[in-house]
Amino acid sequence: MRLINVNTFKLKEFFGADTPHYAILSHRWEKEEVTFQDLMSGRGKTMLGWKKIEGCCQMASRDQLEWAWVDSCCIDKTSSAELSEAINSMFRWYRDAEVCYAYLSDVSGPLEWTFGVNMHPRMKMQDFRSSKWFTRGWTLQELLAPDELKFFDKDWEEMGTKESLGETLSQVTGIKYLFNFEDASVAQKMSWAADRVTTRLEDQAYCLLGIFGVNMPPLYGEGPGAFLRLQLEIMRISSDESLFAW
């Protein structure tokens, strides 16, 4: 995998056991995300998405980590082979990270002024519950895979962890298996993803590969066939008949 140095913002590729401890970012893609090409060309720092990368690296440095992984700039998405490897490895990368930072850009900090009144922490929690982060397909695995998950608002103020916010997270997502999702049935896992959305139709299947413990090559353009292939792969490795009920 390719990691970014939190001090120099330079990328370096690592393999297997040589991979150092690293932090990993969970976020929603928005305007002007910094891609691999943007970072390599040097124009990344002029883009809106740079704040996200810089904040992630600052948090990693604070946690005494030298390396971080950000999907937007650590994957060369122009390479189909690299993209395929990343999609099939992503769950493992989130699981193996020392810490995951969930950046919720639509949650305001408690010191933001609204109509001349200082925002109450309870209002901030309402923002947290309604964050679009909970509606995206890819963030489901980013919630379940890491043990150490910290949530941050748009100003990189920490709001809590998966453990401290566990009750709220279960209420928002309907997931009671935040730390032992493997114990859930196939039908339960499918239900967690039912109302989540992805930009590409095929990603509705690809974002679930790690959760079900299966691998398959992504074929953008196959449309609904991606989900059918996912179901067939699940059937191949599992005897859980709740898949048919779903």
Side-chain angles (χ1 to χ4, degrees):
M1 68 188 304
R2 189 180 291 114
L3 299 174
I4 184 170
N5 186 286
V6 302
N7 299 308
T8 65
F9 300 106
K10 300 294 185 183
L11 294 171
K12 184 175 180 180
E13 199 160 5
F14 296 93
F15 300 93
D18 293 331
T19 304
H21 296 305
Y22 60 92
I24 199 164
L25 179 67
S26 172
H27 67 110
R28 291 184 301 114
W29 275 58
E30 299 174 283
K31 294 181 179 179
E32 289 193 13
E33 294 291 346
V34 179
T35 66
F36 172 77
Q37 286 73 24
D38 294 326
L39 190 62
M40 295 300 290
S41 69
R43 65 175 175 268
K45 293 184 179 181
T46 67
M47 303 173 67
L48 293 176
W50 182 253
K51 176 185 176 183
K52 210 179 291 186
I53 296 174
E54 192 173 38
C56 175
C57 289
Q58 288 175 350
M59 289 303 121
S61 180
R62 187 189 68 176
D63 287 336
Q64 300 183 332
L65 295 168
E66 188 179 357
W67 300 94
W69 187 87
V70 182
D71 62 339
S72 59
C73 64
C74 290
I75 304 172
D76 181 2
K77 294 180 177 63
T78 64
S79 167
S80 58
E82 184 170 330
L83 181 60
S84 177
E85 179 184 2
I87 287 176
N88 280 281
S89 304
M90 206 170 294
F91 185 91
R92 174 167 49 84
W93 291 346
Y94 276 93
R95 182 196 63 200
D96 293 347
E98 288 295 300
V99 60
C100 176
Y101 306 131
Y103 178 68
L104 278 54
S105 62
D106 53 356
V107 178
S108 301
L111 298 181
E112 180 172 313
W113 287 79
T114 305
F115 299 111
V117 180
N118 200 23
M119 182 176 283
H120 191 276
R122 185 176 296 174
M123 295 177 65
K124 182 176 180 178
M125 187 51 64
Q126 291 174 353
D127 280 355
F128 177 80
R129 288 173 174 270
S130 60
S131 174
K132 292 181 179 178
W133 187 87
F134 293 108
T135 70
R136 306 301 294 176
W138 287 104
T139 57
L140 177 58
Q141 68 173 4
E142 295 160 18
L143 170 67
L144 297 174
D147 285 332
E148 184 69 21
L149 173 60
K150 299 179 180 180
F151 290 89
F152 295 86
D153 67 17
K154 68 181 184 68
D155 297 316
W156 281 99
E157 292 293 330
E158 186 173 340
M159 295 181 286
T161 66
K162 182 161 74 168
E163 184 173 10
S164 67
L165 295 169
E167 184 176 348
T168 299
L169 292 171
S170 292
Q171 291 172 355
V172 173
T173 63
I175 302 172
K176 300 186 183 301
Y177 299 88
L178 292 173
F179 289 94
N180 57 334
F181 77 93
E182 298 91 348
D183 294 341
S185 68
V186 170
Q188 286 176 307
K189 294 174 184 177
M190 285 289 188
S191 71
W192 301 339
D195 296 323
R196 292 175 177 254
V197 297
T198 57
T199 302
R200 300 288 295 269
L201 176 61
E202 295 86 354
D203 284 335
Q204 293 179 3
Y206 304 156
C207 70
L208 299 178
L209 293 178
I211 292 174
F212 288 105
V214 299
N215 296 96
M216 66 185 201
L219 300 171
Y220 286 103
E222 67 177 322
F227 209 86
L228 176 59
R229 284 201 296 134
L230 172 66
Q231 291 174 301
L232 292 173
E233 286 299 316
I234 295 171
M235 289 171 58
R236 188 176 62 81
I237 67 167
S238 173
S239 59
D240 186 345
E241 295 183 357
S242 70
L243 173 62
F244 301 108
W246 174 257

